[in-house]
Amino acid sequence: MPFNLPILLTWLRIVAIPLLIALYYLPASWATQHERDTLATLIFCFAALTDWADGYLARKLNQTSAFGAFLDPVADKLMVAAALIILVQLGRADAIVAMIIIGREITISALREWMAKIGAAKSVAVSMLGKVKTAAQMLAIPLLLYHMPLLGVDVRLIGNWLIWVAALLTLWSMGYYLRMAWPEIAKRSAEK
């Protein structure tokens, strides 16, 4: 298992997940709700920044690896899933939104694994639509975690709109990836 700066950043993102969750299980006397929300927002934003930084540094420092390529999306999906579950528990996101986003991630991960196994991974490479979906959810989640007005702006309302946009983009991108994979799926089904 290689170890370098980009992989360290990915591991830090994974370590941040239990910290994010633990904030909401601290005794009430240890932190106010606003303090928890602020810390959770900062942790999530840190994780989002490390997601960008690890990929950038891996390319810039020529430290890309198969292990890093595996670990990076796992860390991303775990962080997003943990944050969505917290938001559902707090009543700040609908369970259907969390199910759509988490379900899509599981489906597309399985699809990519299968396509890689049959040598057709390029058919389901990350698209611009997937990147826009990721941007929408990475903006929505910290706004929903923070949940308080910021400089007179109702971030909760903006976060709610963005998480629904992310859910719609999630469905759209899942359809796109399935459509791209369909020729291989149909071909393999016909061979049996």
Side-chain angles (χ1 to χ4, degrees):
M1 175 175 70
F3 192 77
N4 54 37
L5 181 58
I7 289 175
L8 173 64
L9 291 175
T10 303
W11 278 114
L12 287 175
R13 195 158 64 254
I14 291 170
V15 168
I17 296 165
L19 295 176
L20 179 73
I21 294 167
L23 282 173
Y24 291 98
Y25 287 92
L26 291 173
S29 61
W30 288 21
T32 67
Q33 188 65 43
H34 181 66
E35 290 168 339
R36 292 169 205 260
D37 293 342
T38 301
L39 284 171
T41 303
L42 292 172
I43 289 170
F44 190 87
C45 289
F46 167 78
L49 287 173
T50 64
D51 180 28
W52 171 82
D54 64 13
Y56 173 79
L57 290 172
R59 288 184 298 277
K60 184 83 170 167
L61 302 173
N62 196 25
Q63 293 181 339
T64 59
S65 67
F67 181 70
F70 156 76
L71 192 62
D72 180 63
V74 169
D76 300 343
K77 287 165 183 43
L78 289 173
M79 178 57 84
V80 167
L84 286 170
I85 291 167
I86 287 168
L87 290 170
V88 168
Q89 184 176 355
L90 294 171
R92 298 178 189 176
D94 286 316
I96 190 74
V97 168
M99 186 62 214
I100 288 169
I101 293 171
I102 295 169
R104 180 261 190 207
E105 296 302 341
I106 293 168
T107 303
I108 299 306
S109 291
L111 178 66
R112 284 191 174 128
E113 182 180 336
W114 180 72
M115 294 294 281
K117 189 182 289 186
I118 64 170
K122 289 187 179 184
S123 298
V124 288
V126 176
S127 71
M128 183 53 74
L129 180 58
K131 290 180 180 187
V132 171
K133 180 269 309 175
T134 299
Q137 75 186 22
M138 293 305 226
L139 287 170
I141 290 171
L143 294 175
L144 292 171
L145 285 170
Y146 190 72
H147 202 64
M148 296 289 292
L150 182 64
L151 303 173
V153 176
D154 187 355
V155 297
R156 179 194 53 80
L157 180 63
I158 296 168
N160 275 320
W161 278 100
L162 281 173
I163 202 70
W164 279 102
V165 166
L168 292 173
L169 290 171
T170 293
L171 292 173
W172 187 7
S173 69
M174 184 170 71
Y176 170 81
Y177 289 124
L178 290 171
R179 186 170 47 86
M180 297 305 291
W182 187 252
E184 285 295 331
I185 294 169
K187 180 177 146 186
R188 303 290 169 159
S189 296
E191 290 174 359
K192 290 191 178 195

